[in-house]
Amino acid sequence: MKRRLLQIMGQVALAILRKVDHYVAGSQSGFTFEEEVEEPDRAFKVLRDRGGILRSYSQRGWMVLGFEEAQALFRDQRFGSDIRKNKFVSRVLRLASGGRPVVFLDNPTLLNIDPPDHTRLRKLVSQGFLHKFVLSMEPGIVSIVRRCLDEYDPVSGQFDVVQQLAKPLPAIVIAELLGLPEADLPRFQKLSEDLLGLTAIGDDEKMERGAIANEGLNNYFREVIEVKRENPDQAMISRLIQAEEEGDRLTAEELYSTCALLLVAGHETTTRLIGNGMYLLLKHPEQLRKLQ
């Protein structure tokens, strides 16, 4: 009951701050959350037209929207990626998780840690991406693509690019890259989709699903890693377990967070890239001809 009351208070406070962002700072487009998801380009255009840097009271930070401004930000050592330094966002994530671990806070990934921790972790993880190993996967990936393309409806001749190629392809490839059983595909596809809800600040239902998915992924990878320790293979998880740099190794928590990052980042981004890429090629047939 107390947690629900806090959530309601948080929603009210967030709604007020979003109004402040819209009318005072200009960092809220005025669109609803659903409209922003449906037409993100239109929403971002509204914000970019207002300036390259906008104050966001609802997120206790700033929105950097201009190209030159973003380039300057990335080069400035005063700024970092560690979300734990934003106490407001951290508290919101903790509240939404309902006491469950939060990957960005408890087991931070390469995406949200700063040097020297980022430098150390990147050195270790890069050993799992040996050029020879990545190249060795190419024939298998070609075979997976052909298998997906063969799923078209021979009667109508129709093919759903997203459902029959963009969604299954990266999931299968990431599973092979990590050395996961293909039978587990539906399970970690669902978990990776739900995990993204952790970033949906203001949507308690999605954030709660994200927290549950985070716990589920950690448990899943914990089981897989234990099996790989006893029976190593040539896939990525075994390589991460064996990775060593000047006597250093990945901790158990770093293994879990890195596996979850590879799964979600490789799966979700590639799915959307294939769908958006095909959409743009069909809208610009001259570019499609160049590609062909």
Side-chain angles (χ1 to χ4, degrees), residues 14-28:
L14 193 61
I16 294 171
L17 289 172
R18 282 172 67 87
K19 291 289 185 184
V20 174
D21 280 351
H22 178 49
Y23 291 108
V24 178
S27 58
Q28 210 284 326

Side-chain angles (χ1 to χ4, degrees), residues 66-84:
F67 178 78
E68 296 295 335
E69 291 87 345
Q71 290 290 87
L73 175 71
F74 289 139
R75 289 192 294 264
D76 195 321
Q77 297 300 311
R78 292 175 300 169
F79 298 95
S81 302
D82 194 341
I83 197 172
R84 294 170 297 181

Side-chain angles (χ1 to χ4, degrees), residues 167-168 171-172 175 180-194 217 220 263 267-268:
K167 287 188 77 173
I172 296 169
L180 306 176
E182 193 170 327
D184 290 351
L185 275 176
R187 178 182 178 187
F188 68 69
Q189 266 188 310
K190 179 68 168 61
L191 288 172
S192 66
E193 289 171 1
D194 286 348
L217 273 176
Y220 173 72
L263 174 62
H267 171 205
E268 292 293 331

Side-chain angles (χ1 to χ4, degrees), residues 1-247:
M1 182 67 182
K2 181 181 177 181
R3 178 170 173 265
R4 182 56 189 156
L5 180 60
L6 288 172
Q7 285 180 330
I8 293 171
M9 292 172 62
Q11 288 171 349
V12 172
L14 193 61
I16 294 171
L17 289 172
R18 282 172 67 87
K19 291 289 185 184
V20 174
D21 280 351
H22 178 49
Y23 291 108
V24 178
S27 58
Q28 210 284 326
S29 64
F31 297 174
T32 65
F33 178 76
E34 290 73 22
E35 288 170 338
E36 288 180 343
V37 170
E38 187 68 26
E39 296 185 90
D41 291 343
R42 186 169 158 235
F44 278 120
K45 184 180 185 307
V46 169
L47 299 179
R48 281 196 297 268
D49 287 345
R50 294 173 182 166
I53 301 178
L54 301 173
R55 183 76 168 98
S56 174
Y57 292 96
S58 63
Q59 296 190 38
R60 296 293 197 278
W62 299 82
M63 298 181 71
V64 182
L65 302 160
F67 178 78
E68 296 295 335
E69 291 87 345
Q71 290 290 87
L73 175 71
F74 289 139
R75 289 192 294 264
D76 195 321
Q77 297 300 311
R78 292 175 300 169
F79 298 95
S81 302
D82 194 341
I83 197 172
R84 294 170 297 181
K85 294 176 181 177
N86 188 319
K87 301 302 182 185
F88 172 74
V89 174
S90 296
R91 280 195 288 267
V92 170
L93 290 172
R94 289 284 184 209
L95 181 61
S97 72
R100 300 181 185 89
V102 180
V103 64
F104 309 113
L105 304 177
D106 299 305
N107 300 319
T109 71
L110 276 168
L111 290 181
N112 63 296
I113 55 174
D114 297 325
D117 293 328
H118 182 276
T119 308
R120 169 188 163 272
L121 190 55
R122 183 172 177 173
K123 276 186 179 180
L124 288 167
V125 171
S126 66
Q127 295 184 52
F129 286 93
L130 296 176
H131 186 62
K132 184 177 178 181
F133 170 62
V134 174
L135 284 180
S136 72
M137 295 190 67
E138 184 176 354
I141 294 173
V142 171
S143 176
I144 294 166
V145 171
R146 287 175 175 162
R147 195 169 73 198
C148 290
L149 294 176
D150 285 340
E151 293 297 315
Y152 76 96
D153 185 345
V155 178
S156 66
Q158 292 185 340
F159 182 80
D160 188 320
V161 172
V162 173
Q163 295 300 325
Q164 293 172 276
L165 177 67
K167 287 188 77 173
L169 172 62
I172 296 169
V173 172
I174 290 293
E176 291 200 1
L177 176 73
L178 293 174
L180 306 176
E182 193 170 327
D184 290 351
L185 275 176
R187 178 182 178 187
F188 68 69
Q189 266 188 310
K190 179 68 168 61
L191 288 172
S192 66
E193 289 171 1
D194 286 348
L195 185 65
L196 293 180
L198 274 177
T199 61
I201 295 176
D203 190 323
D204 291 335
E205 186 179 338
K206 283 188 177 181
M207 292 187 73
E208 186 167 1
R209 285 206 305 268
I212 294 170
N214 173 58
E215 191 173 32
L217 273 176
N218 269 348
N219 291 336
Y220 173 72
F221 280 121
R222 188 173 289 109
E223 295 168 9
V224 171
I225 288 167
E226 286 307 310
V227 171
K228 298 289 185 184
R229 287 189 193 279
E230 298 297 323
N231 302 285
D233 53 27
Q234 294 302 306
M236 179 68 73
I237 290 179
S238 291
R239 289 173 179 271
L240 290 175
I241 292 171
Q242 296 161 8
E244 192 165 1
E245 179 79 14
E246 298 176 357

